[in-house]
């Protein structure tokens, strides 16, 4: 076990919690004052579970930031739950490294609850550091309340990962769907290119990009934060080019395969190379970050951007208008592209997971009185959704300013567009009182496009062998994708390099996955 723990300290695949999905632009919180429904602290269940007196919690900046008066959120949550809560809030940008060090120290020094990225969740579940909450979820009030949609139930099922016993079980809880990306197209670029009908196939999509490049005399048309993502589902920023390729180990017809070695990946690499050579893809894409891409999009350097569904459509549109960096930006509209035929559906990733560690002395109580209360359909859920940055008076919901930057708040931790549980019918009439304010129509429409045409990303399974080799294999994969796309080697040369440098490791991993 010590050997495995030391290996975790050098893993580069335990990525930040939400990539840019947790980068909420206008962030956070609100106050549940004025509601007179029964509090979570007073709620009882059929099975009496001991209520914990104190819970220690480690989480990142996807919960209201410290400098946005997080203490007010903590205080109100403690009052509602009737539990002493001790929050540890490492810097958001360094959270991945902090988690690696935390678990690297091993059992005996872990908090009761920790928020983990999907990859870290699968890793630490496989190593036996997380509590199996499958039975607790199956018997929970939330699951059996009728307030969780079928999609939500499916997402909980899809969040099961392999534990130390080799069985798929639930080791984490999320109040929201993981979400995914939608391809946004600037209407001004469509108009310039004379494109009146959105593409439905790759041929039509590529033809649209070519016309845009010519009409706008643009250096490139598409950009993204790299040619491949740094965390599952990896391909969500360039779905039209990857299509059915998946550059990671995944389960296919009941057997685990190495997606990078499949013919579909060869085809994807060729599409990337063709588009890069033709000046369709940003020549500096390998050096781009998400924030850098957003800035270039605001400047009108490119017109097609695949980014997070829902609120981000509104945020991107607002920033284009507010920054006014090009003529006509004040009237810019972003069109959400339904997935083209070859893509089929966008990928809904496994959400970051709230996990109970093996150091927790009363895991049943923490699940009962802390985790599932995030979806209680009442005051606690409202607090997690809007925090303490809102007012609700005479039926009027108003978001207030954040202390850190003066911007209007958006949500605390639960994005209303992504929440997995609806409000109770006897709580504000079952209505999400802030949804229309926090998520304008443009955001709701973009989310609807994604929700109507998305599927769960391939499940994640970790084994000792995979934990040992993943970082090395991913270094080679990223190098090959970049070199092939930029024309430094052919597709055949890239695949030969992969077989030469990673073939043996890949076979060992597949053997461990298919046991």
């Amino acid at each position: 076990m010590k050997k495995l723990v030391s290996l975790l300290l050098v893993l580069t695949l335990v990525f930040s919690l939400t990539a840019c999905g947790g980068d909420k632009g206008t962030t956070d919180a609100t106050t549940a004052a004025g509601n007179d429904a029964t509090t979570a602290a007073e709620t009882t269940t059929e099975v009496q579970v001991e209520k914990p007196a104190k819970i220690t919690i480690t989480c990142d900046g996807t919960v209201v930031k410290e400098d946005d008066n997080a203490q007010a959120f903590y205080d109100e949550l403690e009052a509602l739950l009737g539990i002493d809560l001790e929050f540890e809030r490492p810097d958001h940008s360094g959270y991945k490294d902090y988690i690696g060090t935390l678990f690297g120290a091993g059992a005996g020094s872990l908090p009761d609850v920790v928020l983990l990225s999907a990859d870290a969740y699968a890793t630490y579940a496989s190593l036996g550091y997380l509590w199996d909450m499958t039975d607790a979820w199956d018997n929970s009030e939330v699951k059996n309340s009728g307030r969780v949609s079928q999609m939500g139930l499916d997402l909980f099922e899809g969040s099961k990962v392999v534990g130390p016993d080799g069985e798929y079980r639930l080791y984490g809880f999320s109040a929201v769907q993981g979400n995914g990306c939608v391809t946004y197209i600037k209407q001004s670029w469509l108009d310039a290119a004379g494109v009146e009908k959105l593409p439905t196939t790759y041929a039509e999509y590529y033809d649209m990009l070519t016309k845009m490049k010519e009409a706008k005399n643009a250096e490139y048309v598409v950009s993204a934060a790299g040619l491949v993502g740094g965390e599952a589902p990896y391909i969500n920023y360039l779905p039209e080019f990857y299509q059915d390729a998946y550059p990671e180990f995944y389960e296919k017809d009941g057997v685990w395969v190495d997606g990078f070695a499949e013919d579909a990946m060869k085809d994807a690499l060729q599409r990337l190379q063709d588009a890069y050579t033709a000046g369709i893809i940003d020549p500096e894409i390998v050096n781009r970050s998400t924030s850098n891409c957003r800035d270039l999009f605001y400047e009108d350097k490119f017109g097609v951007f695949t980014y997070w569904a829902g609120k981000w459509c509104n945020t991107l549109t607002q920033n284009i208008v507010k920054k006014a960096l090009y003529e006509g930006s004040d009237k810019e509209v972003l069109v959400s592209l339904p997935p083209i035929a070859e893509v089929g559906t966008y990928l809904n990733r496994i959400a970051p997971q709230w996990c109970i560690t093996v150091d927790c002395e009363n895991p049943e109580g923490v699940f009962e009185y802390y985790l599932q209360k995030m979806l209680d359909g009442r005051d606690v859920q409202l607090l997690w959704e809007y925090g303490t940055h809102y007012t609700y008076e005479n039926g009027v919901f108003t978001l207030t300013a954040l202390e850190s930057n003066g911007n209007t708040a958006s949500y605390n931790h639960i994005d209303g567009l992504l929440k997995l549980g609806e409000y109770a019918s006897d709580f504000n009439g079952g209505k999400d009182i802030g949804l229309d304010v926090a998520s304008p129509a443009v955001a709701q429409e973009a989310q609807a496009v994604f929700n109507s045409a998305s599927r769960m990303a391939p499940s994640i399974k970790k084994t000792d062998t995979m934990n040992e080799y993943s970082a090395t294999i991913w270094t080679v994969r990223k190098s090959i994708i970049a070199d092939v796309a930029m024309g430094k080697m052919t597709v055949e040369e890239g695949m030969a390099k992969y077989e030469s440098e990673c073939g043996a490791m890949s076979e060992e991993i597949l053997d461990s996955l298919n046991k």
Side-chain angles (χ1 to χ4, degrees):
M1 178 61 76
K2 291 182 179 179
K3 177 183 178 183
L4 295 176
V5 170
S6 66
L7 286 171
L8 293 177
L9 297 177
V10 297
L11 278 176
T12 59
L13 291 180
V14 182
F15 296 98
S16 59
L17 277 180
T18 53
C20 50
D23 183 0
K24 293 176 281 191
T26 58
T27 340
D28 305 326
T30 57
T31 155
N35 291 301
D36 58 0
T38 303
T39 68
E42 299 170 331
T43 301
T44 59
T45 58
E46 292 183 9
V47 178
Q48 294 301 312
V49 175
E50 181 183 358
K51 185 176 184 177
K54 180 180 179 179
I55 302 174
T56 56
I57 304 152
T58 298
C59 60
D60 75 341
T62 57
V63 177
V64 59
K65 297 175 182 177
E66 290 285 281
D67 55 359
D68 283 323
N69 194 16
Q71 189 60 50
F73 166 71
Y74 302 154
D75 291 345
E76 188 162 347
L77 185 59
E78 285 186 339
L80 289 172
L81 298 179
I83 301 172
D84 180 16
L85 304 175
E86 182 180 310
F87 280 87
E88 176 68 28
R89 303 295 302 277
D91 179 69
H92 185 73
S93 62
Y95 192 71
K96 174 190 69 174
D97 294 332
Y98 183 92
I99 290 299
T101 301
L102 182 68
F103 279 89
S109 58
L110 301 174
D112 296 321
V113 177
V114 61
L115 186 59
L116 297 176
S117 68
D119 196 83
Y121 163 58
T123 297
Y124 298 127
S126 73
L127 293 173
Y129 285 122
L130 308 180
W131 180 66
D132 180 349
M133 61 179 70
T134 311
D135 293 339
W137 165 247
D138 286 341
N139 296 315
S140 69
E141 182 279 329
V142 171
K143 181 178 181 180
N144 297 290
S145 67
R147 293 185 292 101
V148 180
S149 67
Q150 186 58 53
M151 178 183 182
L153 296 174
D154 291 343
L155 289 172
F156 268 98
E157 187 68 23
S159 295
K160 290 182 177 179
V161 294
V162 173
D165 59 357
E167 298 296 324
Y168 276 97
R169 303 284 285 177
L170 187 67
Y171 292 88
F173 182 99
S174 180
V176 294
Q177 68 181 66
N179 205 20
C181 294
V182 167
T183 296
Y184 299 121
I185 307 173
K186 286 184 175 179
Q187 184 64 56
S188 62
W189 284 57
L190 287 168
D191 294 341
V195 177
E196 297 181 355
K197 181 182 177 182
L198 290 177
T200 59
T201 65
Y202 182 71
E204 293 174 356
Y205 177 75
Y206 197 85
D207 181 63
M208 177 194 74
L209 300 179
T210 302
K211 289 177 178 177
M212 286 179 169
K213 179 175 173 62
E214 181 179 350
K216 297 288 289 187
N217 192 28
E219 182 183 4
Y220 55 94
V221 184
V222 175
S223 190
L227 286 161
V228 65
E231 66 173 355
Y234 310 106
I235 62 173
N236 51 328
Y237 289 147
L238 293 169
E240 291 82 14
F241 298 99
Y242 279 98
Q243 298 180 12
D244 57 344
Y246 195 71
E248 175 60 303
F249 299 97
Y250 73 101
E251 194 171 18
K252 181 179 182 180
D253 299 326
V255 178
W256 285 83
V257 299
D258 184 347
F260 198 91
E262 293 188 305
D263 288 342
M265 189 63 196
K266 297 178 184 178
D267 296 338
L269 289 172
Q270 190 62 62
R271 283 189 292 270
L272 289 169
Q273 186 181 83
D274 292 344
Y276 189 95
T277 301
I280 296 297
I281 292 177
D282 179 3
E284 294 297 321
I285 192 170
V286 294
N287 300 317
R288 300 299 188 203
S289 65
T290 53
S291 60
N292 185 210
C293 285
R294 293 196 302 267
D295 288 341
L296 293 168
F297 196 55
Y298 302 149
E299 295 172 20
D300 210 33
K301 296 297 184 182
F302 64 103
V304 180
F305 188 27
T306 303
Y307 210 57
W308 298 97
K311 277 189 170 66
W312 265 110
C313 184
N314 183 56
T315 300
L316 293 172
T317 304
Q318 285 187 327
N319 283 341
I320 288 172
V321 173
K322 180 172 65 177
K323 294 177 183 294
L325 297 176
Y326 62 92
E327 184 178 353
S329 61
D330 59 324
K331 297 182 178 62
E332 189 66 85
V333 172
L334 297 185
V335 178
S336 300
L337 177 69
I340 60 174
E342 292 85 350
V343 171
T345 54
Y346 292 123
L347 294 178
N348 199 337
R349 64 176 182 160
I350 295 178
Q353 300 288 316
W354 290 94
C355 303
I356 299 173
T357 74
V358 292
D359 283 352
C360 180
E361 295 182 358
N362 180 12
E364 293 86 357
V366 171
F367 180 90
E368 178 76 26
Y369 294 100
Y370 177 74
L371 286 189
Q372 78 155 339
K373 295 304 180 186
M374 292 182 185
L375 290 176
D376 73 339
R378 298 182 179 278
D379 288 300
V380 178
Q381 181 170 333
L382 191 66
L383 181 63
W384 276 105
E385 186 171 352
Y386 298 113
T388 59
H389 288 88
Y390 78 93
T391 61
Y392 187 53
E393 299 175 354
N394 300 319
V396 178
F397 181 95
T398 304
L399 289 165
T400 57
L402 297 168
E403 289 80 359
S404 61
N405 54 25
N407 292 335
T408 301
S410 176
Y411 64 97
N412 173 21
H413 177 68
I414 296 177
D415 181 343
L417 291 177
L418 306 178
K419 63 181 181 294
L420 297 184
E422 298 301 324
Y423 284 92
S425 60
D426 61 346
F427 184 79
N428 294 321
K431 181 182 178 181
D432 185 334
I433 57 174
L435 185 63
D436 290 340
V437 176
S439 304
V442 64
Q444 295 189 37
E445 291 165 5
Q447 192 66 56
V449 169
F450 177 82
N451 287 351
S452 66
S454 64
R455 71 182 190 277
M456 278 298 294
S459 60
I460 299 173
K461 181 179 179 180
K462 295 289 185 177
T463 64
D464 293 350
T465 306
M466 193 170 183
N467 288 334
E468 183 175 356
Y469 293 143
S470 283
T472 301
I473 288 179
W474 264 108
T475 297
V476 176
R477 285 172 177 166
K478 290 178 180 178
S479 173
I480 292 172
I481 291 172
D483 287 346
V484 172
M486 292 186 288
K488 295 180 180 180
M489 63 172 60
T490 66
V491 172
E492 290 71 22
E493 290 169 341
M495 300 310 281
K497 178 180 179 179
Y498 186 68
E499 173 60 29
S500 173
E501 297 187 15
C502 300
M505 288 185 287
S506 176
E507 285 301 318
E508 282 192 51
I509 290 174
L510 290 174
D511 286 344
S512 70
L513 290 170
N514 285 309
K515 280 184 178 179

